[in-house]
């Protein structure tokens, strides 16, 4: 059985997209990145979809096995707020 943890981050759209790209995500109109980080099970937003942004703050989530270091320019997002804004999987 695989244990997945949802990790929620918030920050500028630029910091959010940069962090997700490092894990294997790609933005709309971009070619898919190389192989995704093997710890990653999924992204919110899905690859090829822009991050949800509210009042200039982007909210993103990553389903991961194990710890993922907090990327530069992002802060943890409260899971209740993030679920309300993004949904979950």
């Amino acid at each position: 059985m695989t244990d997945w943890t949802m990790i929620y981050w918030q920050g500028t759209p630029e910091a959010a997209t940069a962090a997700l790209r490092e894990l294997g995500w790609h933005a709309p109109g971009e070619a898919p990145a190389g192989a995704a980080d093997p710890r990653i099970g999924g992204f919110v937003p899905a690859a090829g979809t822009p991050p949800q942004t509210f009042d200039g703050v982007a909210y993103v989530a990553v389903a991961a096995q194990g710890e993922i270091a907090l990327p530069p320019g992002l802060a943890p997002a409260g899971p209740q707020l993030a679920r309300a804004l993004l949904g979950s999987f």
Side-chain angles (χ1 to χ4, degrees):
M1 180 175 170
T2 303
D3 291 324
W4 296 100
T5 300
M6 289 298 291
I7 302 168
Y8 301 97
W9 296 321
Q10 65 184 30
T12 66
E14 297 80 14
T17 57
L20 293 177
R21 277 188 191 108
E22 290 291 319
L23 298 172
W25 174 92
H26 64 90
E30 293 180 350
D37 184 312
R39 299 171 294 172
I40 305 303
F43 301 102
V44 179
T49 307
Q52 291 287 337
T53 303
F54 302 95
D55 294 328
V57 178
Y59 294 86
V60 297
V62 176
Q65 296 174 335
E67 294 293 318
I68 303 290
L70 183 65
L74 296 180
Q80 291 81 11
L81 174 61
R83 283 187 196 114
L85 296 173
L86 300 173
S88 187
F89 60 94

